[in-house]
Amino acid sequence: MTRANLILHSAALALSPLALSLFLTAPPRANPKCDPDNGGLVLPEGFCATVVASGLGPVRQLAVAPNGDLYAALSGKFLDATGGVLGFRDRDGDGKPDERASFGPGGGNDVEVHDGYLYFAPNDRIVRYRLSGKLEPEGKEETIVVGLPDGGSHKAKSLAFGSGDSMFVVIGSATNNCQKIDRLPASPGKDPCKELEKRAGIWQFSASRPGQRFADGRRYATGLRNAIAVTTHPGTGGLYAAVHGRDQLSDNWGFSNEVNANNPGEELVRIQAGDDYGWPYCYYSNQYKKKVLAPDYGGDGQNVGRCAAAKNPLMSFPGHWGPMALAFYPGDQFGPAYQGGLFIAFHGSWNRAPLPQEGYRVVFVPFAKGKPSGEYSTFALDKRGPTSLRASGVAVAPDGSLYISADQNGKIWRVTKTKT
């Protein structure tokens, strides 16, 4: 048995009976050929890609079932889609889906496969469907949580599952930085920011109990403006997120264009119960490599003040890149350099003007002992130009391939390692 198969076999043993049956029905792979132009992607040497589906509209985050079925969330209805979840099944192993399905309520950001169920996150609730071996789940939709705070700047929800019965739900901030008048130049921040009572954090719920309300959840961590890219480590169960930093340091507070373009850093964080990352009072300065006091609360972009207690990130990325999704890579099919590392989908910036916009890519971060072990590298770009790939999702399949989605591109790609 190869090391790759041993990893998958060990994973299968840890699955529930239903999930195990799905795992064992995975279709055979026939080493499908990649598209001649890699579907328009620029990838590292030794990798190739094929377009799994196109013309999808606003496709967001992805999940892969143990049998290889691919599920994608749509942030709005599009064309012939009847619901907010798209399903794809490759029956003959040629890399292209032979069967498609559309179901669920309209409009959502995240899908996750967990313990024999498919979970879906519209903006105001979490629902799930029992996986039965068919692409489109059978049986009644279950509502797990209702009444999640909705509206404002960051209404999309994301999910991750911890040990036991834990389900983590990301609830982004309603505003840019909790100003008395949102995004108004020189408007001071509210102090205290009562928005933190219900927004800008991660809440913990039961993954299995239907009918929960928002008030039944526990605020697990706070001070996270929009931690929409979230996942748990497949080995340790540790919770990780990449966080969107605040906007408009130049427009609202007179910072230089250069400082505004590169700050705040987009933070990669390891989240534990009770953590406070400082929003809206603080942000991470790429310039000074520390948390500094926000100008809305009297800061000058350099002094620390009350932010000495805010938790720092594991790694920081350039400002306004817009992290959307995370996926750890547990296998070795991509080679030892990628084993255990982290893929991050970046949607791209808007607030770096008049400097050039950046982001628009998928990056890879090597990991060891629960933290980055080296610098990040760009894994995927779009051949059409540096601002063309609006990456919104990444997911690893049981066969070791990597799926990438991009909402404004309306596409999903499958990336594989070429044989050497």
Side-chain angles (χ1 to χ4, degrees):
M1 181 179 289
T2 67
R3 178 173 174 80
N5 288 335
L6 179 61
I7 290 171
L8 295 179
H9 178 72
S10 300
L13 295 178
L15 298 172
S16 68
L18 175 59
L20 179 59
S21 69
L22 292 172
F23 183 95
L24 295 175
T25 59
R29 289 294 176 189
N31 291 324
K33 294 182 179 179
C34 290
D35 293 343
D37 65 345
N38 288 331
L41 293 184
V42 179
L43 300 167
E45 185 177 357
F47 292 88
C48 67
T50 186
V51 175
V52 172
S54 60
L56 299 176
V59 59
R60 301 295 287 253
Q61 296 189 21
L62 304 170
V64 188
N67 69 342
D69 286 348
L70 173 66
Y71 293 96
L74 282 178
S75 62
K77 289 188 177 182
F78 189 75
L79 295 180
D80 60 348
T82 60
V85 181
L86 298 177
F88 303 90
R89 174 171 288 182
D90 176 11
R91 290 187 174 277
D92 58 11
D94 68 352
K96 298 282 189 178
D98 311 294
E99 182 182 347
R100 297 190 184 194
S102 175
F103 57 92
N109 176 70
D110 197 8
V111 284
E112 297 288 338
V113 174
H114 174 70
D115 198 24
Y117 287 88
L118 178 70
Y119 289 75
F120 178 48
N123 295 337
D124 62 349
R125 62 198 185 279
I126 308 298
V127 300
R128 74 176 184 179
Y129 308 86
R130 181 177 290 277
L131 295 173
S132 61
K134 294 184 177 181
L135 179 60
E136 182 171 350
E138 296 182 312
K140 188 177 179 181
E141 171 186 297
E142 285 187 295
T143 300
I144 302 301
V145 184
V146 296
L148 297 177
D150 193 6
S153 295
H154 307 115
K155 57 188 178 182
K157 305 299 186 292
S158 290
L159 301 172
F161 294 89
S163 60
D165 193 40
S166 292
M167 178 177 70
F168 300 106
V169 179
V170 174
I171 302 176
S173 68
T175 63
N176 175 36
N177 213 59
C178 205
Q179 293 172 277
K180 291 184 178 179
I181 302 177
D182 191 29
R183 300 184 185 269
L184 180 71
S187 178
K190 299 176 183 178
D191 198 1
C193 177
K194 293 189 176 297
E195 193 175 324
L196 291 168
E197 296 173 4
K198 295 184 178 182
R199 305 289 294 255
I202 295 178
W203 270 256
Q204 184 180 25
F205 296 89
S206 164
S208 62
R209 181 160 60 91
Q212 297 169 89
R213 302 194 65 82
F214 176 65
D216 297 322
R218 166 200 178 199
R219 189 174 68 175
Y220 188 80
T222 191
L224 296 156
R225 180 176 177 269
N226 190 24
I228 194 172
V230 65
T231 193
T232 47
H233 190 280
T236 66
L239 183 65
Y240 292 81
V243 190
H244 291 226
R246 57 87 50 80
D247 303 321
Q248 298 174 303
L249 286 172
S250 60
D251 292 345
N252 288 350
W253 296 102
F255 286 63
S256 71
N257 292 328
E258 290 74 17
V259 169
N260 176 79
N262 291 302
N263 292 284
E266 308 283 57
E267 301 179 49
L268 176 64
V269 297
R270 164 69 168 94
I271 299 170
Q272 296 175 304
D275 280 350
D276 185 346
Y277 282 87
W279 184 91
Y281 313 113
C282 317
Y283 66 84
Y284 186 81
S285 169
N286 277 332
Q287 184 178 7
Y288 295 105
K289 311 299 182 187
K290 62 183 179 181
K291 285 283 174 78
V292 298
L293 188 64
D296 323 67
Y297 296 89
D300 62 2
Q302 183 173 358
N303 63 310
V304 174
R306 67 205 281 185
C307 300
K311 191 172 180 180
N312 280 306
L314 298 174
M315 175 179 279
S316 178
F317 296 88
H320 315 293
W321 273 24
M324 298 295 290
L326 306 178
F328 280 101
Y329 193 84
D332 63 357
Q333 294 90 332
F334 279 11
Y338 289 89
Q339 188 170 12
L342 180 69
F343 288 98
I344 308 178
F346 284 98
H347 201 240
S349 62
W350 70 269
N351 191 224
R352 296 178 66 92
L355 273 67
Q357 300 300 335
E358 293 183 7
Y360 309 92
R361 67 191 66 196
V362 175
V363 309
F364 176 78
V365 180
F367 254 69
K369 298 181 180 180
K371 60 184 180 180
S373 57
E375 296 299 317
Y376 68 86
S377 60
T378 295
F379 184 80
L381 293 167
D382 192 307
K383 289 182 178 180
R384 296 175 301 165
T387 63
S388 296
L389 180 64
R390 304 302 299 271
S392 54
V394 282
V396 179
D399 67 358
S401 57
L402 178 73
Y403 287 104
I404 298 171
S405 60
D407 57 3
Q408 292 189 31
N409 304 76
K411 292 182 179 181
I412 300 173
W413 294 264
R414 177 174 177 263
V415 180
T416 55
K417 189 80 164 61
T418 57
K419 291 187 178 296
T420 56

